[in-house]
Amino acid sequence: LRSILMIAAGILVALALMTKGLVGLFPLATPGIWWLAFRRRSLISVIIDTLVMTATVVVFFAALWQLGDAREAIQRYLSIQLLPSLTGQRGSGGGNWNAVRAFVRVNAYPAIVTLIILLCDRRWGSRHRCYPHLRVARAERR
């Protein structure tokens, strides 16, 4: 059962790799991070899980490579997007501050809305909802 789950995870990682690029490989680190955090299984089993997932991704792309159109698409992706991106020829937005500005621009409105909701909840929310454990704790503090 565990191997089947790791193979399924490997297929999903391969699909993520196809849609998001190299960023899609991040789930391969999950077993190792899980082991570092909890240490409930042996390190060998975690390494085997990661190897099964990686082998599934390799087999998936080896099967795709056998198809002519898929091979051309992969080669085009490598030559047009991946290699120029790794060498710094692609995606240069003019420096680090542009990246910070873009991050703020994209996330400003959701962050403001979230802050307003949290402030409203903190100010008025607990008085109008049923939080008996909070009422008891507040009464004990007074």
Side-chain angles (χ1 to χ4, degrees):
L1 176 65
R2 178 182 205 76
S3 297
I4 293 171
L5 290 174
M6 292 302 116
I7 290 170
I11 292 170
L12 293 173
V13 168
L15 294 174
L17 183 60
M18 288 175 57
T19 57
K20 298 301 288 177
L22 289 179
V23 177
L25 291 174
F26 81 89
L28 293 177
T30 303
I33 294 170
W34 188 85
W35 180 81
L36 282 173
F38 300 109
R39 296 188 192 231
R40 291 187 185 155
R41 294 188 342 223
S42 70
L43 180 60
I44 298 298
S45 68
V46 168
I47 291 172
I48 290 172
D49 288 349
T50 304
L51 289 175
V52 168
M53 290 170 59
T54 305
T56 304
V57 171
V58 169
V59 168
F60 186 90
F61 278 97
L64 276 180
W65 193 260
Q66 302 305 312
L67 305 171
D69 291 338
R71 183 177 333 119
E72 289 175 20
I74 292 170
Q75 288 173 333
R76 198 170 342 125
Y77 169 75
L78 291 174
S79 65
I80 294 173
Q81 186 165 353
L82 182 65
L83 295 176
S85 181
L86 291 176
T87 59
Q89 299 170 1
R90 201 176 166 275
S92 175
N96 293 338
W97 288 112
N98 284 342
V100 171
R101 277 187 232 123
F103 178 79
V104 170
R105 185 178 62 243
V106 168
N107 294 305
Y109 291 122
I112 291 170
V113 169
T114 302
L115 181 64
I116 291 170
I117 290 170
L118 287 174
L119 290 174
C120 289
D121 182 60
R122 184 158 175 91
R123 176 78 172 111
W124 296 292
S126 62
R127 294 182 186 165
H128 299 292
R129 278 184 282 182
C130 185
Y131 290 128
H133 62 284
L134 290 179
R135 280 191 234 139
V136 170
R138 285 185 185 146
E140 288 174 358
R141 277 189 266 156
R142 292 181 187 165

